[in-house]
Amino acid sequence: MDSKANGALMRAAPLAVWGHRLPPAELAAAAAADVRLSHPNPACADASAAYCIALAHLIAHPGNAGGALAAACAWASEHAGAQLEG
């Protein structure tokens, strides 16, 4: 439960490709469900969800790094735990 290893983040890119047309909340839920297969720590689920949202934004808007960061931060500020802030 304490592990915050990045193994789940390595599976995030395919999820973002698959779900880049989903609303952020649905994509985040899918990412969190995937993460829980191997990483029960909530911070891992939050990080993967935010990463998927950023990647999905980049798929839909190539090159818009600022928009990707804003999309991930907007989701995190509303839904993620305190460990993802900052």
Side-chain angles (χ1 to χ4, degrees):
M1 185 65 169
D2 292 335
S3 174
K4 295 179 190 165
N6 73 343
L9 275 178
M10 291 187 269
R11 300 190 305 261
L15 276 170
V17 171
W18 166 80
H20 74 276
R21 290 189 174 118
L22 294 174
E26 288 182 35
L27 181 56
D34 176 75
V35 168
R36 284 191 291 272
L37 293 172
S38 59
H39 295 77
N41 191 301
C44 292
D46 289 345
S48 189
Y51 186 54
C52 276
I53 288 167
L55 290 175
H57 183 88
L58 286 170
I59 292 166
H61 310 280
N64 186 351
L69 179 61
C73 288
W75 178 86
S77 69
E78 194 170 321
H79 301 285
Q83 293 182 38
L84 220 61
E85 292 177 5

